[in-house]
Amino acid sequence: MSAWRGRQGTAAIAVLLSMVVSRAVLLAGSWFNQDDFYLSGRAASADLSAEFLVRDTAGHVNPLQQLAYWLLAHLAPYSWASVATFVLLLQTAATVVMWLILTRLLGERWSRVVLLAVFAWAPLTLATTLWWSAAMGLWPHVLCSLLAVWLLVRWRQGDARAVWAVLAILLTTAVGLLWHERAVLIPPVLYGVAVALADEATGWRRLRAALTRFRWLWAGQVLLLGGFLVAHGMLTDVEGGESTWKQRLEVTWSFLGRNIVPGLFGGPWTGELDGGAVRPAVWVVVVSLVLALAGAVLLLVRGGPARRWGLAFLVAYVAADLALLLSGRAGFGSIIGLDPRYSSDTVHAAVLCVALCLRGSRPWLGLLETASARVRGGVVATTVLLYGAASAAGTALLVPHFQNTEDKAFVTTLRSQFAADPTAVLFDRLAPTDVVLPLVGADSQLSRILAPLPEHLRFDEASAHLRVVADDGSLRPVELAGIIPAEDGPDDGCGYEVGRASRRAPFVVPVDGRLLVRVSYFTSDETTLSVTTDGWSTDFLASRGPNRMWLVLPDLAGEVDALTFRGDGRSTVCITDIDAGLPEQP
């Protein structure tokens, strides 16, 4: 049976194309955000080595993700078109594989079209599509999970040789693990599907039948997972955060009742934005829970022979997702349970669950057996349209929140203003919190996250054209706040006269920390000045006439009580004023 022939195949292609077009439009309007910046900055400054690929990143070891960041940073820095194309290809491939699985499980039943629409359109996967680092934690895992299931189903139905099926599934699982640790859920997914397909046994005997029939697969998976977990433990030292039982219960309710269930039904249709999360309205939660309960009861009453195992499969998968969240993030409180990064992979599990429950049941759960083909088609069309409308409402609520337009505006403004003044040197600072949170320390410095840009921006160098980057990305002239001057120079009309001999210019009080120093001077000819203090030195070219130069004094060990100047002898330089301070926030 061809999956793409007939009216159902045409309907599936229409669903697929609608997903591709809508997600392409939404991706085109999005951009990089948060983790994307500092991971790109790290990749830009690193060599492509085994050490870089397996480095511990906040407890994650994801070699293929690291490789993707490195390739983009070195071949197409901050090219959102490349990222958007990659993400869209991953989601499209996953949707195609899902259709192939649904076709093998349900045959020529219109319910597979409805399930495909749920998988393709669910707004629950929206945030993890429009945000690159989140997308790399979702779509490669989901694609590998679905490929493994498809290979298992083909094997179970006699369309694949056992040896090749085992090797292909193990390879697919390994690729998933190299992308993201969440791929540890692939073996449990495979086992749940195998149990639901074990029609030669009944009741609890299905568990043993699935183990026996695919014993070589499970042996390989155990060895693969064991090796992965040992290696992961050796490469990371991050432990889960502490949390109270109250916090765990709050996260559980948010994750299940306010995130997953509304999300699977196209929600949330309305709600309040709260940081990186959306709190759905109470009526949305209530309606979603009622629909979920009604659907579960209908499947249990009218589903196929594996209906209980299908629902158990979904419950187990969601419980595993919840356990992973509680083990490391419960201390953040209930809001972390609303984050779609930790729930979006449940969409593919839910669709597989319903397909396993429907397999072998009477058409349309026995409710429309006597209806005409036109009536059944109308029911399908109405169901798909209703879900499409619900998903459109959920998408409309979420898109303005997840497209990261502020980040794009920040970098675009900075690049355009630098193009207008390419001699500018930038004062390094932490990126605005809307771009990168300061949680990653020095990795959130502008000099780190902007390093991949082709402009080769210069930071903290001695310059007469020093600029401060405002929160909107614009470049502003420097203004000092909290000025601490140097003592007046001893040379009348010249201040500190600097030639080949060193001249020490003490501050009125010692200074410490990372500061800006403004040096005002005049000279008749160009000459190079060296500026030193304990543990730090820099040079700059003093230009003819009255001028000023900006220096960035780093945070040194101990206080700085003076700066020492020395020229190269080509000309005498008169230093009239020296002021240290912090730049005013633009």
Side-chain angles (χ1 to χ4, degrees):
M1 179 184 66
S2 173
W4 307 102
R5 290 180 181 174
R7 290 187 297 170
Q8 293 179 20
T10 302
I13 292 173
V15 170
L16 181 65
L17 289 177
S18 67
M19 181 272 293
V20 170
V21 172
S22 60
R23 290 293 167 104
V25 170
L26 296 178
L27 277 165
S30 190
W31 217 62
F32 301 94
N33 184 43
Q34 295 293 336
D35 297 12
D36 302 341
F37 288 109
Y38 84 82
L39 291 174
S40 295
R42 286 182 180 180
S45 62
D47 295 326
L48 186 58
S49 63
E51 181 182 2
F52 168 74
L53 293 177
V54 299
R55 71 176 297 177
D56 182 355
T57 304
H60 299 288
V61 180
N62 307 322
L64 292 182
Q65 285 195 37
Q66 292 288 90
L67 176 61
Y69 280 113
W70 191 93
L71 290 174
L72 190 80
H74 288 267
L75 301 180
Y78 289 131
S79 169
W80 182 250
S82 301
V83 169
T85 301
F86 179 59
V87 173
L88 187 60
L89 287 174
L90 286 174
Q91 183 175 2
T92 302
T95 308
V96 169
V97 177
M98 176 61 84
W99 176 248
L100 297 178
I101 294 172
L102 294 174
T103 299
R104 284 189 169 270
L105 293 178
L106 299 176
E108 296 183 353
R109 297 180 62 168
W110 279 101
S111 54
R112 60 183 175 142
V113 177
V114 177
L115 292 175
L116 183 70
V118 172
F119 180 77
W121 297 341
L124 192 57
T125 64
L126 190 62
T128 42
T129 299
L130 302 182
W131 182 5
W132 183 29
S133 59
M136 288 206 294
L138 171 69
W139 290 114
H141 159 57
V142 168
L143 177 57
C144 289
S145 180
L146 292 176
L147 278 172
V149 169
W150 177 67
L151 290 166
L152 180 71
V153 173
R154 289 184 75 247
W155 180 12
R156 182 65 175 80
Q157 294 178 347
D159 291 333
R161 295 180 60 183
V163 173
W164 294 113
V166 169
L167 292 176
I169 292 172
L170 290 176
L171 177 61
T172 301
T173 306
V175 171
L177 290 170
L178 292 174
W179 270 104
H180 198 276
E181 297 92 341
R182 194 172 291 271
V184 297
L185 297 178
I186 292 178
V189 166
L190 291 172
Y191 183 63
V193 172
V195 170
L197 295 178
D199 294 335
E200 68 275 16
T202 58
W204 295 101
R205 296 182 183 87
R206 283 179 176 264
L207 298 174
R208 182 177 180 181
L211 280 174
T212 302
R213 186 180 184 95
F214 304 107
R215 55 187 176 275
W216 295 113
L217 173 61
W218 311 132
Q221 293 281 21
V222 168
L223 291 175
L224 178 61
L225 280 185
F228 171 79
L229 293 175
V230 169
H232 191 277
M234 294 172 61
L235 294 168
T236 63
D237 56 5
V238 175
E239 298 180 357
E242 296 182 357
S243 59
T244 64
W245 278 106
K246 180 181 178 182
Q247 288 174 320
R248 294 171 195 164
L249 290 174
E250 290 174 346
V251 172
T252 299
W253 165 241
S254 291
F255 186 71
L256 299 177
R258 305 170 69 192
N259 185 347
I260 290 180
V261 175
L264 292 176
F265 287 96
W269 310 301
T270 184
E272 297 179 356
L273 302 181
D274 186 358
V278 177
R279 297 184 184 275
V282 174
W283 72 267
V284 172
V285 175
V286 172
V287 170
S288 301
L289 290 173
V290 169
L291 289 174
L293 180 61
V297 170
L298 187 60
L299 289 173
L300 286 174
V301 173
R302 293 284 193 168
R307 57 192 182 277
R308 295 181 181 85
W309 293 105
L311 287 173
F313 162 79
L314 178 58
V315 170
Y317 190 93
V318 173
D321 258 358
L322 177 60
L324 290 174
L325 178 60
L326 293 176
S327 65
R329 301 282 183 168
F332 287 91
S334 62
I335 193 169
I336 200 67
L338 299 173
D339 195 326
R341 287 180 296 170
Y342 308 110
S343 59
S344 53
D345 63 314
T346 57
V347 175
H348 89 291
V351 172
L352 288 175
C353 157
V354 177
L356 293 171
C357 291
L358 291 178
R359 190 182 66 89
S361 68
R362 289 179 293 174
W364 292 99
L365 304 174
L367 301 177
L368 296 172
E369 287 180 297
T370 60
S372 66
R374 176 173 295 181
V375 171
R376 291 196 296 271
V379 170
V380 171
T382 301
T383 304
V384 171
L385 288 174
L386 286 175
Y387 190 81
S391 297
T395 299
L397 175 67
L398 298 176
V399 164
H401 191 49
F402 292 138
Q403 280 197 306
N404 311 317
T405 53
E406 295 85 358
D407 308 83
K408 183 177 182 180
F410 173 83
V411 176
T412 300
T413 299
L414 188 151
R415 295 181 72 178
S416 64
Q417 295 213 354
F418 182 80
D421 184 13
T423 63
V425 172
L426 309 183
F427 178 72
D428 204 5
R429 53 162 288 198
L430 293 176
T433 55
D434 287 341
V435 178
V436 181
L437 292 171
L439 301 176
V440 292
D443 281 323
S444 63
Q445 293 283 123
L446 290 177
S447 59
R448 300 281 187 94
I449 69 171
L450 299 176
L453 290 176
E455 284 85 355
H456 301 294
L457 304 173
R458 295 180 297 153
F459 290 87
D460 288 2
E461 296 179 7
S463 175
H465 301 283
L466 190 70
R467 296 291 183 265
V468 177
V469 182
D471 284 349
D472 63 357
S474 59
L475 306 184
R476 310 284 180 83
V478 180
E479 296 292 339
L480 282 182
I483 294 175
I484 297 178
E487 295 180 2
D488 292 336
D491 303 314
D492 291 340
C494 184
Y496 294 91
E497 184 175 316
V498 180
R500 288 187 180 276
S502 298
R503 296 299 302 268
R504 187 173 182 271
F507 289 105
V508 293
V509 294
V511 299
D512 63 354
R514 181 169 176 266
L515 300 171
L516 273 177
V517 178
R518 181 176 57 202
V519 179
S520 300
Y521 67 90
F522 63 85
T523 182
S524 60
D525 289 297
E526 285 189 348
T527 188
T528 299
L529 285 185
S530 297
V531 187
T532 60
T533 188
D534 292 340
W536 173 79
S537 65
T538 189
D539 298 329
F540 69 87
L541 182 66
S543 302
R544 296 176 59 183
N547 285 293
R548 67 181 180 182
M549 181 64 61
W550 292 97
L551 311 176
V552 179
L553 183 66
D555 188 3
L556 302 172
E559 295 181 332
V560 175
D561 57 5
L563 296 178
T564 299
F565 295 84
R566 182 176 181 177
D568 62 5
R570 287 184 291 167
S571 177
T572 298
V573 179
C574 290
I575 299 177
T576 57
D577 292 289
I578 303 171
D579 299 299
L582 294 172
E584 288 187 350
Q585 293 299 317

